[in-house]
């Protein structure tokens, strides 16, 4: 049987539909799964011909809908609602459109369900949640048990990742420790854990407070990388361009840090979410340090844009924070090419 874990905000989520400030029906290239593609080809519904006329293949030979010139899905109407859903409820939606912003993370014997921060309403729910960031058991399905010998990973290695994730989540949510300090303690812990994984040491690490605050980000390389990425959202692209032309200074960051104290719960939630989502993916490559560095890189870019926005408008609220996090998730976390560029930058600079 497959065990399923989730969060209350996932089960309670409701799409804002036409009221969404940044709809997933514009700008995205949605790959159509094979079963839905066959449904479209055989569809006798009145909208069937319109569906088939909209089908095309991308550069990877995947079937998608050809977006309109403005980037909108061809079935997103003037009322900002989906014609496919209006015609036939969810039965004509492909898997991505039907599931999003829910993200199932399938690890063969268990699945974790989260919401994508690329959805404005999901970002709001995640960043504003008051409860401890802890998944709950949701249900157990009746899928056949997978023998241990057929698992694509070691159960012991997965257990290690789940245990160390709990340790890091507890650290990041401990309000008695300043978040900046907790991130540094976490970095030292993960660096030692990586050494243990690579058998450079026999000692399994423990969380330790340390006065050292290492320069753990390759700031110049990361900023240069962002300047050379392709963006989906015009507003985000403009922000990046403006910051490139008028760089954020240390004084700007310090000014943002002063007002950021009131937003620490949201930032703690973001850190917890990011680690929860990505940490177990190290099961495939063994590089837990990279997973943690991606969190730090995300925080740094969010801080840069936040400091710029505060400098330019002399105004910054939780709503601004939510919007910046949402667009970062959309432009980096959900863009395979941009995420790969980030990972390459982190790995290459870490080898220097």
């Amino acid at each position: 049987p497959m065990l399923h874990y989730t969060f209350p905000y996932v089960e309670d989520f409701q799409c804002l539909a036409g009221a969404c400030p940044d709809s997933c029906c514009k700008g995205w290239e949605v790959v159509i799964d094979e079963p839905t593609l066959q449904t479209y080809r055989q569809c006798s519904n009145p909208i069937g011909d319109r569906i088939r006329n909209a089908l095309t293949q991308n550069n990877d030979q995947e079937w998608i809908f050809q977006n309109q010139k403005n980037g909108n899905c061809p079935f997103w109407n003037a009322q900002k609602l989906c014609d496919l859903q209006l015609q036939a409820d969810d039965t004509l939606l492909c898997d991505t459109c039907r599931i999003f912003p829910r993200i199932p993370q399938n690890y063969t014997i268990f699945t974790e369900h989260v919401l994508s921060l690329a959805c404005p309403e999901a970002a709001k729910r995640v960043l504003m949640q008051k409860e401890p960031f802890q998944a709950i058991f949701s249900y157990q399905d009746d899928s056949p048990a997978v023998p241990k010998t057929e698992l694509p990973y070691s159960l012991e290695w997965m257990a290690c990742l789940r245990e160390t994730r709990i340790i890091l989540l507890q650290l990041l949510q401990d309000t008695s420790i300043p978040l900046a300090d907790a991130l540094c303690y976490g970095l030292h812990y993960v660096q030692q854990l990586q050494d243990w994984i690579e058998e450079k040491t026999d000692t399994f690490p423990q969380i330790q407070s340390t006065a050292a605050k290492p320069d753990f980000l390759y700031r110049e390389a990361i900023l240069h990388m962002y300047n050379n990425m392709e963006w989906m959202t015009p507003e985000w692209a403009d922000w990046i361009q403006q910051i490139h032309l008028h760089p954020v200074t240390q004084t700007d960051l310090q000014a943002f840090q002063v007002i950021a104290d009131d937003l620490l719960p949201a930032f703690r939630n973001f850190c917890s979410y990011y680690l929860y989502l990505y940490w177990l993916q190290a099961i495939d490559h063994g590089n837990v340090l990279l997973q943690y560095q991606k969190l730090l890189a995300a925080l740094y870019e969010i801080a840069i844009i936040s400091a710029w926005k505060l400098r330019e408008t002399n105004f910054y609220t939780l709503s601004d924070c939510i919007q910046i996090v949402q667009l970062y998730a959309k432009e980096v976390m959900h863009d395979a090419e941009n995420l790969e560029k980030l990972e390459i930058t982190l790995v290459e600079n870490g080898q220097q």
Side-chain angles (χ1 to χ4, degrees):
M2 172 83 76
L3 304 179
H4 294 260
Y5 300 90
T6 189
F7 294 86
Y9 64 77
V10 176
E11 297 184 327
D12 297 340
F13 175 81
Q14 288 187 328
C15 176
L16 295 180
C20 182
D22 187 23
S23 175
C24 54
C25 297
K26 63 178 181 179
W28 295 80
E29 179 182 275
V30 177
V31 176
I32 300 168
D33 56 283
E34 186 61 32
T36 304
L37 181 62
Q38 295 307 316
T39 298
Y40 289 162
R41 285 172 170 161
Q42 300 167 11
C43 179
S44 58
N45 187 291
I47 205 171
D49 288 339
R50 187 176 160 200
I51 290 174
R52 287 183 284 274
N53 288 335
L55 290 173
T56 188
Q57 287 182 291
N58 60 16
N59 293 335
D60 296 322
Q61 301 303 303
E62 298 167 319
W63 285 97
I64 61 172
F65 285 134
Q66 179 65 58
N67 283 346
Q68 301 175 60
K69 290 182 179 180
N70 59 7
N72 293 350
C73 173
F75 298 98
W76 199 43
N77 63 32
Q79 289 71 45
K80 298 183 178 181
L81 298 173
C82 174
D83 283 339
L84 295 181
Q85 201 164 25
L86 291 174
Q87 288 271 345
D89 200 16
D90 288 351
T91 59
L92 287 178
L93 296 183
C94 65
D95 284 351
T96 299
C97 293
R98 181 172 47 81
I99 295 172
F100 189 83
R102 298 163 185 85
I103 305 177
Q105 300 278 94
N106 188 326
Y107 294 105
T108 309
I109 57 175
F110 66 95
T111 296
E112 297 182 334
H113 301 265
V114 298
L115 293 179
S116 167
L117 294 182
C119 165
E121 179 65 12
K124 179 181 176 180
R125 285 172 174 261
V126 171
L127 296 187
M128 292 183 65
Q129 69 168 341
K130 305 293 185 183
E131 301 81 12
F133 201 95
Q134 184 174 355
I136 57 174
F137 174 73
S138 180
Y139 66 96
Q140 175 177 304
D141 65 29
D142 57 359
S143 57
V146 179
K148 182 178 179 179
T149 54
E150 295 181 14
L151 288 174
Y153 54 77
S154 157
L155 283 176
E156 291 75 16
W157 174 219
M158 176 58 81
C160 175
L161 285 176
R162 295 179 81 174
E163 290 168 9
T164 50
R165 184 176 65 174
I166 290 172
I167 291 171
L168 287 168
L169 288 174
Q170 290 174 340
L171 170 68
L172 294 173
Q173 294 178 78
D174 188 343
T175 55
S176 69
I177 304 174
L179 180 57
D181 290 343
L183 288 166
C184 289
Y185 302 165
L187 177 65
H188 283 285
Y189 174 79
V190 174
Q191 287 172 327
Q192 294 171 33
L193 177 60
Q194 190 65 48
D195 286 343
W196 178 80
I197 291 169
E198 296 175 5
E199 299 182 342
K200 296 177 181 178
T201 177
D202 295 330
T203 305
F204 194 82
Q206 292 184 333
I207 294 288
Q208 296 178 341
S209 60
T210 173
K213 294 190 175 181
D215 187 12
F216 44 70
L217 284 175
Y218 318 109
R219 289 180 169 84
E220 294 303 320
I222 288 175
L223 288 176
H224 177 74
M225 172 202 67
Y226 282 121
N227 291 333
N228 290 280
M229 285 183 171
E230 293 185 4
W231 307 117
M232 184 190 317
T233 311
E235 186 174 15
W236 177 268
D238 181 63
W239 292 352
I240 299 297
Q241 176 67 11
Q242 291 300 318
I243 292 169
H244 176 65
L245 296 173
H246 309 285
V248 169
T249 66
Q250 194 61 36
T251 301
D252 296 331
L253 285 169
Q254 290 171 350
F256 172 67
Q257 189 173 0
V258 170
I259 70 157
D261 285 347
D262 293 336
L263 303 171
L264 283 178
F267 281 106
R268 287 186 189 274
N269 283 340
F270 173 76
C271 293
S272 299
Y273 170 93
Y274 201 103
L275 269 184
Y276 187 87
L277 179 63
Y278 285 112
W279 187 254
L280 297 190
Q281 293 180 16
I283 196 75
D284 295 325
H285 50 68
N287 194 339
V288 294
L289 182 57
L290 176 61
Q291 305 303 83
Y292 197 84
Q293 286 175 320
K294 287 194 295 185
L295 163 62
L296 299 178
L299 279 174
Y300 180 60
E301 183 63 12
I302 290 166
I304 287 288
I305 295 176
S306 297
W308 169 80
K309 192 156 193 176
L310 175 63
R311 184 187 70 191
E312 297 299 310
T313 65
N314 200 32
F315 188 76
Y316 190 91
T317 66
L318 178 59
S319 295
D320 295 311
C321 176
I322 292 171
Q323 183 191 22
I324 292 170
V325 167
Q326 180 256 322
L327 287 177
Y328 181 87
K330 176 181 177 180
E331 299 290 349
V332 181
M333 295 166 65
H334 272 278
D335 188 300
E337 291 185 7
N338 285 345
L339 190 59
E340 183 181 14
K341 288 179 182 178
L342 173 59
E343 292 174 347
I344 290 173
T345 298
L346 292 170
V347 169
E348 288 181 347
N349 281 270
Q351 293 172 345
Q352 294 177 3

